[in-house]
Amino acid sequence: MADSGPHAGEDDPEAVKRHPRLFRAVRQRKNPRLRRSDITVTDERAVKRAVKAASLGNAMEWFDFGIYSYLAVTLGHVFFPSGNDTVQLLSSFATFAVAFLVRPLGGMFFGPMGDRLGRKKVLALTMVMMALGTFCIGLIPSYASIGFWAPLLLILFRLVQGFSTGGEYGGASTFIAEYAPDKRRGFFGSFLELGTLLGYTGAAGLVTALYAVLDDGAMESWGWRIPFLVAGPLGFVGIYLRLKLDETPAFQKLEDGTSAHASEAADGVETSHKGDLAKIFRRYWPSLILCICLVGAYNITDYMLLSYMPTYLSDEMGYDESHGLLILIGVMVLLMLIINQVGKLSDRFGRKPLLMTGMISFFFLSIPSFLLVKQGSLLAVSAGMLMLGLSLVCLLGTMSAALPALFPTPVRYGSLSVGYNLSASLFGGTTPLVITGLIGLTGDDMMPAYYAMAAALVGVIAVACMKETAHRPLAGSPPSVETEEEAREILDAQSPDPKF
């Protein structure tokens, strides 16, 4: 008996040959022609305002977060009982990792909220929480003053930081991706990680200046408080910038879908649901797993270089804290100079080639890089860190355009926040703690290189499994272009209406 199911004709090449017009009409019915009203023509000034606000806000978030990692040794002395320096450092890094434990909860809370209420409102809220959490850390009395209440309060405000950060990256990357035109999403997305580097560089620069002008006693007495207290006013600047923006065009089309502003095809994908957490796990688990693997590989290498390396130089190599930070600042400044060019390359050649280059470079260059760092001379340490930095920038300049494209518009903020923060919690924030513990356990100071290689291997597999998304509209959104001419080209390129 012949199969009479809905796909029977599509599976029969002979039927397609006999009735080409009929099957062309069926395909047209399933994928209606785009109308001009479906295509978003971006306003370049609005895109640049959105990119600036999201990136500067992200810079301030990571300034707040970076302060802690660069002051890890000092904070260990201030907030934990005196005795073994390694135990104090481990305690400090454990508290650093605590913030990452609640990041998935923050992602699950803020992500669906951003899909339901809008991107900019939630991004402003996360900014408020991060600024308050960081400012309050600067007010906590030391362990010598209030005993175990000091580390408990530190953990409390680190939890506030971590919860707010759960809604930051997913929202900021979604915000930029939905504003940017399809052909330049990599370039504009790279500004988000430029903001991350700017925040880390600002934090490292301020901490380095404090180490240079204050002795250890002054730093542990009051100097460490200054960067945390500076974060409060900076946070409110970020809130102001974000609240001045309009909502993203993609989210506006999503909300207007019921008013028939989009075509039949756009309505079908854009108005189905807006943030159901259960549906994210049920429907998009393959993309979530891919996101977790990509972010895990990216975060381990990122936190190893940008957060842990100064501690490695001071704790394992005997470097002065300020010297290690100065080298890292030099590397980060160089990365900031080239990161937008990497974003442009991802627009030209695709996300996958750039991501694969970064992952393979980490796999093959981690051991040579750390062997150089272990030589101890300024030139060797700088060369080793630069090799790691150039590998990392291939990921930094590309990931913020690649990750939002994994999920459709109605669940993008929620899905990306959940996947990103689950992975960041498991692999990113624990990186300094795990590496310090592995070195203490094995006595092998090459452990950071081995850990980065393992992460890169997972990353290579993940990149191989992902689809190329450069030059394509975001899933669940109509095309986004820079000019009316591009919009007309897309309309003209569509296949003609079927004729009988």
Side-chain angles (χ1 to χ4, degrees):
M1 183 174 176
D3 183 3
S4 57
H7 301 290
E10 293 178 7
D11 294 335
D12 186 352
E14 293 301 320
V16 175
K17 287 181 182 178
R18 287 195 301 270
H19 308 287
R21 291 180 179 175
L22 175 61
F23 282 97
R24 194 181 307 126
V26 170
R27 287 193 295 271
Q28 285 288 124
R29 180 77 176 178
K30 290 181 177 179
N31 300 288
R33 288 168 58 83
L34 285 167
R35 298 198 299 263
R36 172 58 192 86
S37 58
D38 299 332
I39 301 174
T40 300
V41 178
T42 59
D43 178 348
E44 187 169 356
R45 288 176 298 179
V47 173
K48 288 180 177 178
R49 283 198 306 271
V51 169
K52 181 173 73 172
S55 301
L56 287 177
N58 198 53
M60 291 168 193
E61 288 259 10
W62 291 107
F63 173 84
D64 294 0
F65 222 72
I67 289 167
Y68 189 98
S69 59
Y70 297 136
L71 286 168
V73 176
T74 299
L75 294 177
H77 295 158
V78 171
F79 286 105
F80 298 97
S82 59
N84 189 309
D85 286 345
T86 301
V87 172
Q88 282 188 327
L89 183 61
L90 280 170
S91 299
S92 182
F93 277 140
T95 309
F96 178 78
V98 157
F100 286 80
L101 296 178
V102 294
R103 278 183 66 165
L105 298 178
M108 292 177 191
F109 178 78
F110 290 116
M113 186 188 294
D115 286 326
R116 202 164 48 246
L117 303 179
R119 293 21 175 156
K120 78 165 190 173
K121 294 175 185 175
V122 177
L123 282 172
L125 179 58
T126 61
M127 191 95 239
V128 170
M129 290 185 64
M130 174 60 89
L132 287 175
T134 308
F135 186 78
C136 288
I137 289 176
L139 301 176
I140 303 173
S142 67
Y143 181 87
S145 301
I146 60 172
F148 280 102
W149 283 106
L152 287 176
L153 287 171
L154 178 63
I155 289 169
L156 172 65
F157 293 123
R158 285 291 294 163
L159 291 174
V160 172
Q161 283 187 317
F163 193 76
S164 68
T165 307
E168 171 60 25
Y169 185 90
S173 58
T174 293
F175 199 82
I176 292 178
E178 292 183 350
Y179 253 107
D182 296 332
K183 291 183 178 180
R184 299 183 70 195
R185 190 169 295 117
F187 171 68
F188 286 117
S190 67
F191 281 91
L192 184 66
E193 295 297 355
L194 177 64
T196 300
L197 289 170
L198 187 62
Y200 272 128
T201 303
L206 181 53
V207 171
T208 302
L210 289 171
Y211 277 131
V213 300
L214 299 175
D215 58 28
D216 290 345
M219 275 298 292
E220 291 180 16
S221 175
W222 56 271
W224 67 270
R225 298 182 186 277
I226 293 174
F228 290 99
L229 297 177
V230 164
L234 286 178
F236 286 102
V237 173
I239 294 162
Y240 172 75
L241 288 173
R242 286 184 170 179
L243 287 176
K244 282 188 67 178
L245 292 171
D246 293 326
E247 193 50 83
T248 69
F251 186 80
Q252 289 178 6
K253 281 186 177 291
L254 184 69
E255 289 199 309
D256 293 343
T258 54
S259 302
H261 284 242
S263 70
E264 220 176 295
D267 282 343
V269 289
E270 291 190 349
T271 63
S272 55
H273 59 85
K274 292 185 180 180
D276 184 339
L277 201 55
K279 287 183 179 178
I280 288 173
F281 283 101
R282 188 167 62 248
R283 293 188 180 183
Y284 302 104
W285 63 266
S287 296
L288 277 176
I289 291 174
L290 184 59
C291 178
I292 287 169
C293 292
L294 287 168
V295 173
Y298 159 58
N299 267 255
I300 286 173
T301 52
D302 183 283
Y303 282 97
M304 182 196 70
L305 179 61
L306 302 186
S307 293
Y308 173 73
M309 189 58 79
T311 302
Y312 180 84
L313 291 173
S314 61
D315 207 44
E316 302 298 328
M317 303 292 300
Y319 257 63
D320 183 87
E321 283 92 344
S322 59
H323 290 169
L325 282 171
L326 280 171
I327 296 172
L328 180 61
I329 289 170
V331 171
M332 289 195 293
V333 168
L334 179 63
L335 299 190
M336 284 193 285
L337 293 175
I338 63 176
I339 191 169
N340 297 135
Q341 300 307 312
V342 174
K344 284 184 178 180
L345 287 174
S346 81
D347 284 328
R348 182 176 178 183
F349 297 109
R351 318 294 184 226
K352 292 184 67 169
L354 270 294
L355 291 175
M356 190 64 81
T357 299
M359 298 296 182
I360 290 175
S361 297
F362 264 113
F363 186 79
F364 286 106
L365 297 181
S366 289
I367 288 178
S369 297
F370 272 89
L371 289 174
L372 280 170
V373 169
K374 284 178 64 177
Q375 290 187 21
S377 69
L378 177 62
L379 184 61
V381 171
S382 300
M385 290 178 65
L386 184 60
M387 287 166 65
L388 295 172
L390 292 175
S391 303
L392 180 62
V393 80
C394 294
L395 309 181
L396 287 173
T398 311
M399 200 68 79
S400 50
L403 293 176
L406 294 175
F407 305 101
T409 302
V411 294
R412 180 170 298 120
Y413 195 154
S415 301
L416 184 52
S417 294
V418 170
Y420 187 93
N421 289 294
L422 277 172
S423 189
S425 298
L426 291 171
F427 307 111
T430 59
T431 295
L433 178 65
V434 169
I435 292 176
T436 303
L438 287 173
I439 291 174
L441 187 67
T442 64
D444 187 349
D445 56 10
M446 288 295 289
M447 276 296 160
Y450 305 146
Y451 198 51
M453 289 174 67
L457 186 59
V458 173
V460 166
I461 296 170
V463 174
C465 292
M466 68 179 281
K467 295 178 181 179
E468 183 56 72
T469 57
H471 295 177
R472 299 175 186 174
L474 291 167
S477 289
S480 177
V481 298
E482 292 184 273
T483 64
E484 289 286 348
E485 288 75 17
E486 285 183 74
R488 283 196 293 272
E489 287 174 8
I490 291 174
L491 294 175
D492 293 342
Q494 294 183 105
S495 58
D497 289 324
K499 297 176 181 180
F500 294 95

